[in-house]
Amino acid sequence: MEYGDKAQVLFSKLKSKHIVGAEGKISMELLDLSININDKSAVGDLLQEWLGAWMKQNGIYFRTDPNTQVFPDYYLGISNKADLLEVKTFDYNETPNFDVAPFDAYVDSLKTKAYRLDADYLIFGYTLKNDVLTIGDIWLKKIWEITCPARELPLRVQRKRGKIYNIRPYNFKNNSAGFQPFRSKAEFVDAIKGALAQYPMRTEDPDSWVDQVQESLAGYNSSL
C-alpha cells in the first residue's frame, strides 16, 4: 500500500517516539480550579489538536483550512490536492465506530474533488480510565482499507428510516471474520455506485457519477 510520503514520515515518527502505550491526562483550568477530564466525548477533537502541536514541535510541516469543519483535518504539503490527512479516533476497548465521512457530502465532493480518495487516515485507538488517557494503537490507512460491504448495501453505512447519514468503518482493529475491507480504490468507488443504485433518496445515475469521478481523477493524473 502506497501511503503519502509525508503521512508515512509522520506515522513512523509517532511510532519511533513510542506513541503506542503512551499515557497522559486531559485537564481544564478555570477560576484557579483545575480538573482532570474523564469524558470521552472531547477526546477526538483534543487528540487532533494535540497532533497539530506535536507536529509543530517536531518540525513537521502542516497547515489547516480556515474553516476547521471541512475536509481534510490537515494538509501535510503545499498542494490542496495531495498529502491530505484525516484524523480519526475511537475507544480501543470497542470496535471502531467513528464516522468515516458524511455520505451525501462525500459522494458529491468526489465528482469534482476525487483526489480526496487518496487521502491518508491516521487513526488513534485510545482508552480513558481514572483520568488516564492511554494510546492503545495507531494505524495509517486508506479509505478503502477501513470500509467494507454490508448485508443491506454494498457499503457499510449508518442508515435511519431509509436515509443514509455516514459511511461507517470496517473492524480493522481485529480483522474479524465476515465482511472484509475493499481491496482497492476502484472497489470502494464501485461500492458507492452500488449503494447509489439502491438508494431512492438520490436520483442521479450511478454510472454518470462514476464517469464524473473518473474525469476528476484524470484531471490530477490519477485513476481508479
Side-chain angles (χ1 to χ4, degrees), residues 199-219:
Y199 187 34
M201 292 187 183
R202 292 184 66 109
T203 58
E204 67 196 296
D205 176 60
D207 289 317
S208 296
W209 175 81
V210 173
D211 289 342
Q212 291 178 78
V213 172
Q214 290 178 323
E215 183 178 352
S216 178
L217 282 169

Side-chain angles (χ1 to χ4, degrees), residues 1-5 7-8 118-120 140-142 144-145:
M1 180 57 58
E2 294 185 3
Y3 303 104
D5 291 342
Q8 186 64 64
D118 291 319
D120 294 297
L140 186 65
K141 297 283 189 181
K142 292 295 190 181
W144 58 88
E145 295 182 296

Side-chain angles (χ1 to χ4, degrees), residues 90-101:
F90 71 98
D91 185 339
Y92 193 63
N93 289 325
E94 308 291 338
T95 57
N97 61 353
F98 53 82
D99 295 330
V100 176

Side-chain angles (χ1 to χ4, degrees), residues 156-214:
R156 187 168 185 262
V157 297
Q158 175 194 39
R159 186 163 59 163
K160 297 178 182 179
R161 297 181 180 178
K163 179 174 174 56
I164 298 176
Y165 287 91
N166 295 292
I167 300 172
R168 282 294 175 86
Y170 158 74
N171 184 11
F172 54 85
K173 174 187 168 187
N174 295 325
N175 294 315
S176 57
F179 292 109
Q180 295 299 297
F182 301 111
R183 294 171 294 181
S184 66
K185 178 168 50 179
E187 279 195 2
F188 174 66
V189 168
D190 193 56
I192 295 178
K193 173 187 172 182
L196 288 172
Q198 299 178 45
Y199 187 34
M201 292 187 183
R202 292 184 66 109
T203 58
E204 67 196 296
D205 176 60
D207 289 317
S208 296
W209 175 81
V210 173
D211 289 342
Q212 291 178 78
V213 172
Q214 290 178 323

Side-chain angles (χ1 to χ4, degrees), residues 81 105-116 209 211-217 219-220:
K81 298 182 179 181
Y106 187 77
V107 169
D108 286 337
S109 74
L110 293 184
K111 292 186 285 189
T112 56
K113 300 176 180 178
Y115 53 81
R116 293 181 173 189
W209 175 81
D211 289 342
Q212 291 178 78
V213 172
Q214 290 178 323
E215 183 178 352
S216 178
L217 282 169
Y220 83 107

Side-chain angles (χ1 to χ4, degrees), residues 40-169:
K40 298 175 187 174
S41 62
V43 173
D45 289 338
L46 293 173
L47 271 176
Q48 181 181 323
E49 188 170 343
W50 172 87
L51 179 64
W54 186 87
M55 287 192 288
K56 184 179 295 185
Q57 182 187 63
N58 286 270
I60 297 174
Y61 175 85
F62 72 94
R63 58 192 177 87
T64 58
D65 193 286
N67 181 354
T68 58
Q69 300 303 310
V70 302
F71 181 100
D73 293 319
Y74 292 110
Y75 295 96
L76 298 182
I78 61 174
S79 172
N80 286 345
K81 298 182 179 181
D83 299 312
L84 312 182
L85 185 74
E86 275 283 284
V87 180
K88 299 295 181 182
T89 63
F90 71 98
D91 185 339
Y92 193 63
N93 289 325
E94 308 291 338
T95 57
N97 61 353
F98 53 82
D99 295 330
V100 176
F103 181 80
D104 284 327
Y106 187 77
V107 169
D108 286 337
S109 74
L110 293 184
K111 292 186 285 189
T112 56
K113 300 176 180 178
Y115 53 81
R116 293 181 173 189
L117 286 165
D118 291 319
D120 294 297
Y121 287 73
L122 180 62
I123 306 165
F124 292 83
Y126 70 87
T127 59
L128 183 59
K129 184 177 181 181
N130 297 328
D131 299 332
V132 178
L133 176 74
T134 305
I135 303 301
D137 207 346
I138 61 171
W139 297 261
L140 186 65
K141 297 283 189 181
K142 292 295 190 181
I143 194 167
W144 58 88
E145 295 182 296
I146 57 172
T147 51
C148 69
R151 290 187 179 85
E152 301 83 7
L153 289 172
L155 179 67
R156 187 168 185 262
V157 297
Q158 175 194 39
R159 186 163 59 163
K160 297 178 182 179
R161 297 181 180 178
K163 179 174 174 56
I164 298 176
Y165 287 91
N166 295 292
I167 300 172
R168 282 294 175 86

